[in-house]
Amino acid sequence: MDPNLDLIDYKGGPPAGGDQNLGPVIIGVNVVVLTASTVIVILRTITRIWLTRNFGWDDGLMVFTQVVNACGMGFVGAEVSNGLGRHKFYLTERAYLKFLKYDYLDWAQVFATLALCKISICIFLLRLSSFRRLRLWLHGLIVVIITSHVPLFFLIVFQCRPVRKYWTNPLDGPGVCFTRATVETIIIVQGVFSIVTDFVCAGFPVVLLWNVQLNKRTKLGLELLMGLGVFTAVICIVRTALSGSVKSTNVTWGGVPNAFSRIFEINLGIIAACAPIIKPLVRYLRAKATGQDPHNILYRTKAPSMVPSHSVWYHHFMRGSRVYGSTSNKSVPWRQGHQPMPQPSAPGLDTQQSLGLPLEGPRVETNIEGGEPSLHEEKSKRSLQSQLGPIFDVQDQLESYKTRMYFSDFWDYLFVGYNFLFRQTPLNLPLHAGISHVTLPRQAVFPGPWDEYIKAPSNKSYIRPQKVWHVEGPVAFSEAVLDWQETSTSVTLDPGGLVILEFAENIAGRACFDISSTDSHSKTYLALAFSESPRFAGRLPDATTDRQERDLPLFLPIEGTGATCVRPEFVRGAFKYLTIYVPEHPPKPEDIWSEHEPSLPPGDTDLQSNPNQKHLGFHGGTSHHQHHDKRRISISSLYINCTAFPSNPNPRAYTGYFSSSSTLLNRIWYSGAYTLQLTTIDPAEGSALIDYNRAVDHNHSPQGSWYSNFTIANGTAITTDGAKRDRMAYPGDMAIAAPGIAVSTYDMVAVRTALDSLFIRQYASGALPYAGPPMGYHGEFSDTYHMHSLLGVWNYVLFTNDVPWLQSHWRAYLQAFEYSLAKVDRTGLFHVTSTHDWLRPGMTGHNLEATSLMYYVLQLTVRLADEIVKDPDARAQLERWKSVGQRMERGIELLWCEEVGMYGDNIGRRGCGGHEECTPQDGNSWALFSGIIANRTRRYEVSKNLRKRWTKYGAPATEFPNVISPFASSFELLAHCAAGNHDAAVELTELMWGYMLDGEGFTNSTCVEGYRIDGDIQYPAYWSSARNSHAHGWSTGPTMVLLTEILGIHLETPLGRTFKIEPHLTKWLKNARGGFATGLGRFEVVLRRMKTKDFGRVEVLDLETPVGSKGTVVFGPTWYIEGGGKGHAVKFLDGENDDEEPRVEKVSLEWMEEQLVEDHDWQKPEMEERPVGVVDWEALEENYVPSN
């Protein structure tokens, strides 16, 4: 029956009410809902492309859906102009036939749009879930949608033969159409399928979030937001119920309700699909509107101090801001006496509940005995946070963390193709295809047997001591609180009793106790002292300042039984030894410095202070002196809640690794990585320099006191110089720390936060401060550290490709660069005007280190301007910049000392022939590493002469008498590699860092700031040996060098889209392997000494690079890799002529399996004996540099 047959069969008279017209209402509703859906699709697109940078197939499909929807809404407008909303009685035949044509097109697009929208939602949900079963259900749902809607679509399209029969006069030629009852049945069937799939899609977030550990309000809000499709399903029910209107003989009037339902169903479905995705944009706009830092709002993770994981959910659903120099409001009363603490007592117990605060973040089950943390209920959440939360895509959807290069299904292949053809950036792929520096992975990228070297705890909120180091006085059951004890006994201390406890590694955090009993009926005190080195383990802590030799002990008040922790502001940044004792005599009020109420200083605060900064002071108080001696304390449990490395939900989820035939090298690599974790802190727990803090917080804290609640930056995590002290952002330290972080934990947000804290305090001249807050208020400046800040920008962008961040700082960067460039005078050397550097003396005049550093920064700035920012104004300066670089290449020859085969420190007294002639370690190392020395023979000569100066305990920093500096020696490692002397780099690493791990007085787990030339743990920069930092980021050079220089993985452009791999096994290693991941994917190199059955000794190279990358491999000859992937090559070492270059061939896995056997003849060479360095005691006094 033809749908237009009623045109000639209509027998009714004029309808009641006359010629009514609902057309304007239909048009108005159509415009409103179409505008709303279009706007939200645009916002979704902006969010995914600009903010979260993870535009995917679901987004592209939704954009296409909206285009089809817009066409449909145009059809509705055409229907209205031809009679929809009026009675058919008043229509002309021409108008009615046009109405039928557009009605036909409208129904076809309805079927198509609804199917496309639902498929887009399913793909979005696929990106949220990593659980195989749920993904299979979603794939099945997509199949159901396609197999149901495609046939129905074709049925509705081809309901007439020919198709045009639908909208032509039945008398005009032959043709046949479905009956209206059949058409109604098609619409009802489609409606049923649509209702079912709407409810399934709306209910899926409930299943997805069911086991995710969020507070109820947040979880309910997410479920409602993602479940808006329920409204679409309800409208679809209405539309299906009204499907009988197609049989109406007055369809232009009777079909109006159905038209309204179609309009609302489609557009609300699109709105429901897009609403959850624009949450980051809402947060960003809110931040801009309130004048806050959008990055700070979007990354907010101000988690309570007892929460071991700063979840991305916390970043985006909690509010608040920080201000530079403010002190966190962590100064809550002492928590004690019958106040339960979140103390995991068995494996698997959730440890993320904070003191009286709601839990935010994933449930991470941890094994207290040291096992690997399981990720129960985590996979979906990791993907959820990548879609709904962070600015950058987390790219963390592995079904098994042991999975290597493979793609789970067909969609992943499509994602890869789209990624590299159109975006050149990673999409939401399995972990090996890219990770996010904003949302760190929950599991190790390269799991393997080398994980045994990881020093980070599996459960950072519950770290117990390993052994009793020392006991004094009346103490019973001293071992009761050790990690391996499972008894119910308690350690008991009477007045005068003391126990020194040793932890497995250098750690950081808040000390917590379970007090099982106390004989005192009033307040008594437990004294605490912390030390990194065993030398200073005792009744006094080591030192955080050098105003006095040792810090003051902390007195913890005890009032009854229960759990108690030190206050959050008394987090100790690093310690391996914890001393607990009951004072023999009750402490005097003035001794209890940590308990006094804060007081404001007299007079007005200066303009540099901040109203949010806490003011610490002393004003006396009520005496706590007790006139009895019943002060026995029994402790059933003691543990540390580690507050360092706040970005790492799983502290052992490393993104890089290193393993070799040298156990010592392996330990060194992981000790560096762990040091960098300890020196990464919550910005609200910064600055141990109380005297510097006073300029901002006006504290009256007495000499020897200490605290760690000075806010040094806005953000969630920041890399600092040292864990114990100074807990500030020093750009010189970052020159070593930033690449080390990039190749070990990828916590680059901490690097960005540190850079932001420097740029925000840039001086009007363009100079950047010597360090971040509390410095920067009084013009503190260093020429070299200023340039290290610019180097930090390069390192951050190289490993993250965060070009928007770079663009936001570009003008400030150029101003800072030009400020330094202007100091290169006609000599071609950099003229230093600031004596500040790394506390070494002699930093003046035309300086070698500053010149080499400036040359290196100049080369990087040229690349930033030309290749990354592509700034036309900066490009116009390239020739001028390059000419300055050429002048510097000539100028450095003024410092060459022919007799010693090295470069002098400066022109003048510390130069060649000067009365204080000095050929500095830092300057000569930088001259090699920067590339300013053009002559290859000269470079190797400098490297050999640096090596000749080594002593038994390492490489001396001749510019700083009596000092062995891991900072300067880290640059020396890079220098030897730049000169092609990789043997020397590995040798120095084992010699010097091996001593730092195993030498007397060190932590055996972290990298020390520096030490004396005779091996003593005193760092000559400080008169107090106790002040030396035993966890210092600038000392972690091997963590970077072993991967980037020995295994030779060089990123040439951001993320490693272009790379160079040039491995060097050296004479010290039989095998070595390692790698790291970026946002593009995994880089891995494996080197082995083997033998073949037919050809003798060989070196075997296996490598893997990310899909879509390209670069060169230098292994004998150079070859080019396009598109990434895996490769294998063999270098044949036993040639007929020893003088000829070894032959290198690419081989297959099958060939290697058939030909290669172990080389059991290889032996590691003996390291030569070197004399102990001799201390110049007179120079030692002169070298002391007073510090604030």
Side-chain angles (χ1 to χ4, degrees), residues 532 543-547 551 571 573-574 678-683 685-693 706-712 718-731 733 770-775 785 837-839 1009 1019 1021-1022 1026-1034 1185-1188:
E532 293 185 278
T544 53
T545 72
D546 61 355
R547 292 307 189 196
D551 285 347
V571 165
L678 285 184
T679 57
T680 300
I681 66 172
D682 184 329
E685 295 178 350
S687 185
L689 298 184
I690 293 178
D691 296 320
Y692 257 107
N693 298 352
W706 51 274
Y707 63 84
S708 298
N709 69 336
F710 188 99
T711 299
I712 58 175
I718 183 171
T719 181
T720 63
D721 61 329
K724 179 182 70 174
R725 49 138 289 269
D726 294 332
R727 297 176 71 82
M728 293 162 51
Y730 282 89
D733 302 59
Y770 183 29
M775 289 191 186
Y785 273 43
D837 194 19
W838 53 276
L839 297 183
E1009 181 180 10
Y1019 183 37
Y1022 314 123
R1027 196 184 181 215
N1028 196 2
S1029 167
H1030 287 256
H1032 225 67
W1034 76 3
V1185 180
S1187 60
N1188 293 299

Side-chain angles (χ1 to χ4, degrees), residues 590-610:
E590 57 268 24
D591 294 331
I592 312 171
W593 57 272
S594 58
E595 197 172 71
H596 289 279
E597 295 296 326
S599 64
L600 291 173
D604 296 332
T605 60
D606 64 43
L607 295 177
Q608 294 167 343
S609 67
N610 190 289

Side-chain angles (χ1 to χ4, degrees), residues 137 170 179 241 287 462 476 515 589 658 855 997 1082 1185:
W137 275 99
T179 65
Y462 194 73
I515 307 301
F658 177 82
Y855 180 84
L997 273 186
R1082 299 169 19 142
V1185 180

Side-chain angles (χ1 to χ4, degrees), residues 100 297 324 392 592 619 677 894 913 1032 1049 1059 1127:
L100 289 177
I297 290 295
Y324 285 99
F392 299 95
I592 312 171
H619 58 82
Q677 288 182 286
L894 297 174
H1032 225 67
I1049 307 173
F1059 60 82

